[in-house]
């Protein structure tokens, strides 16, 4: 039996996936989750709340719960997926396109005052958490089987506890980290998964271009972007 954990920061990022009657809603205080088990794969879908702290708490909670609770038959997790929307940093990405985090970093981690590289947490060897190549290939294959009218790019996703909506911040994230897209949780999930030795995937749909128009665009495109992503996510799962 495979076990996949899917986490969105907001309810609207996971609701298209769990609607339709296949999932049962359950409690795991302080979280709730949706569970589907078809005998081959058990899928646990939950909402973390926005930001890196909330995501870290949620990921660790479910990794520990699934590994120890009789309800999950002591299964370990095969893959943790972070789904949701992101702002485009690369000019090649448009609203509705999909970005896969080949690697994740935190653009707001700054210990440069002590001589460390920007983005580096002194407890780690690298600014970046790398996604397993086999996971990235699986997503590429799923995308190719879909005949999609949106594009998919694989590259760096930068996370931080900030909604990015200015040219200056965008340029900082692009030149400092070579990021394709920005959001507020992915690198936190990647860090906790790495610490636990669990494979992860951060996959996001572009809702805005992280510029002055971002707040308006975010509200207009959020739902449409999630529809594209949900179709792909169902294939991946
Ligand atoms: N998620 C979606 N758009 C974003 C943005 N512009 N900044 C941070 N997180 C986002």
């Amino acid at each position: 039996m495979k076990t996949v954990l899917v986490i969105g920061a907001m309810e609207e990022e996971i609701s298209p996936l769990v609607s339709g009657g296949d999932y049962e809603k359950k409690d795991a205080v302080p979280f709730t989750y949706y569970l589907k088990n078809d005998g081959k794969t058990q899928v646990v879908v939950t909402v973390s709340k926005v930001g890196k702290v909330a995501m870290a708490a949620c990921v660790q909670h479910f990794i520990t719960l699934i590994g120890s609770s009789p309800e999950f038959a002591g299964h370990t997790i095969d893959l943790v997926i972070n789904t949701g929307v992101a702002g485009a940093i690369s000019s090649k990405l448009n609203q509705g396109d999909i970005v896969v985090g080949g690697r994740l970093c935190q653009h707001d981690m700054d210990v440069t005052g002590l001589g460390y590289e920007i983005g580096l947490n002194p407890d780690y060897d690298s600014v970046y958490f790398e996604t397993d190549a086999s996971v990235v290939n699986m997503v590429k294959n799923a995308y190719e089987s879909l005949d999609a009218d949106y594009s998919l790019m694989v590259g760096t996703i930068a996370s931080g506890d900030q909604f990015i909506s200015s040219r200056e911040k965008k340029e900082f994230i692009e030149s400092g980290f070579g990021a394709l897209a920005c959001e507020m949780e992915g690198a936190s999930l990647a860090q906790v998964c790495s610490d636990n030795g669990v494979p992860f995937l951060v996959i996001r749909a572009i809702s805005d271009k992280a510029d002055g128009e971002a707040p308006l665009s975010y509200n207009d495109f959020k739902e449409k972007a999630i529809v594209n992503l949900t179709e792909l996510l169902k294939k991946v799962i």
Side-chain angles (χ1 to χ4, degrees), residues 4-182:
V4 180
L5 172 62
V6 182
I7 311 181
M10 298 177 294
E11 193 73 36
E12 57 263 47
E13 291 177 317
I14 57 111
S15 54
L17 179 65
V18 298
S19 63
D22 292 344
Y23 284 84
E24 194 185 342
K25 192 168 184 182
K26 295 183 162 255
D27 276 325
V29 178
F31 299 95
T32 54
Y33 65 97
Y34 300 85
L35 179 65
K36 184 176 95 164
N37 186 338
D38 64 7
K40 278 194 253 155
T41 310
Q42 75 183 333
V43 187
V44 178
V45 185
T46 190
V47 175
S48 62
K49 293 184 184 153
V50 170
K52 292 185 296 162
V53 171
M55 179 56 80
C58 184
V59 177
Q60 189 60 63
H61 180 84
F62 279 94
I63 289 176
T64 305
L65 182 77
I66 292 169
S68 60
S69 159
E71 175 168 15
F72 297 101
H75 283 289
T76 51
I77 300 178
D78 294 280
L79 182 65
V80 181
I81 302 177
N82 175 215
T83 181
V85 288
I89 298 292
S90 164
S91 57
K92 292 189 186 134
L93 283 165
N94 289 303
Q95 280 97 341
D97 288 343
I98 305 286
V99 60
V100 173
R103 59 182 196 169
L104 288 298
C105 64
Q106 294 180 44
H107 64 73
D108 59 353
M109 174 61 71
D110 184 352
V111 197
T112 54
L114 289 178
Y116 292 96
E117 187 185 351
I118 185 75
L120 183 66
N121 177 329
D123 284 321
Y124 293 83
D125 295 333
S126 171
V127 170
Y128 300 98
F129 293 93
E130 306 273 341
T131 307
D132 288 353
S134 58
V135 172
V136 173
N137 285 335
M138 177 191 61
V139 179
K140 282 187 184 160
N141 290 339
Y143 170 75
E144 271 152 29
S145 73
L146 275 177
D147 192 26
D149 63 355
Y150 48 87
S151 64
L152 177 140
M153 287 181 80
V154 180
T156 304
I157 296 179
S159 310
D161 287 321
Q162 299 163 1
F163 184 84
I164 305 301
S165 56
S166 75
R167 192 155 46 84
E168 294 73 29
K169 276 272 173 195
K170 208 176 152 168
E171 279 171 9
F172 165 74
I173 294 170
E174 182 154 46
S175 61
F177 300 96
L180 293 180
C182 63

Side-chain angles (χ1 to χ4, degrees), residues 12-13 15-17 83-85 96 98 146 149-150 205-206 221-234:
E12 57 263 47
E13 291 177 317
S15 54
L17 179 65
T83 181
V85 288
I98 305 286
L146 275 177
D149 63 355
Y150 48 87
I206 298 300
F221 281 96
K222 194 170 50 172
E223 254 115 74
K224 159 126 186 21
I226 288 293
V227 171
N228 285 353
L229 181 50
T230 303
E231 176 195 41
L232 177 57
L233 211 49
K234 284 183 176 166

